[in-house]
Amino acid sequence: AIMILECRDSDSPLSHARTFVDQYHREFGFELEGRDLLIDDFRVRAIVPGATPAPPPSVPSLGAPPAFGSCRAYFENGWETVS
């Protein structure tokens, strides 16, 4: 997977494809010709100027949840009763 930055030159899909191909060539030293590009993930990163806010206070632990019953489950050592 290769991530590229936003293309500032144009909103054209071709400029995004060219940016990807250029980065792929820089990273691997060749281009895959005759293949379609498939975008399977799209991420957005927000950059906000200013001071970093303080982390929220920690939440006290409530402990383990109570068991409402049990059942049998198969693990690598055989059947076991679990709750």
Side-chain angles (χ1 to χ4, degrees):
I2 294 179
M3 293 175 59
I4 61 170
L5 296 175
E6 176 185 14
C7 298
R8 301 263 183 211
D9 303 340
S10 168
D11 287 334
S12 165
L14 294 178
S15 65
H16 290 81
R18 185 75 246 162
T19 301
F20 173 84
V21 169
D22 290 345
Q23 180 147 344
Y24 188 94
H25 190 269
R26 272 192 305 275
E27 194 165 324
F28 298 106
F30 64 95
E31 294 179 18
L32 296 173
E33 296 180 6
R35 305 213 28 198
D36 292 334
L37 293 178
L38 173 66
I39 299 171
D40 66 357
D41 191 4
F42 187 83
R43 297 179 186 193
V44 176
R45 180 180 295 161
I47 299 173
V48 179
T52 302
S58 61
V59 178
S61 173
L62 299 176
F68 290 108
S70 63
C71 64
R72 294 185 46 78
Y74 190 83
F75 294 98
E76 58 189 33
N77 294 327
W79 288 97
E80 295 182 29
T81 301
V82 293
S83 52

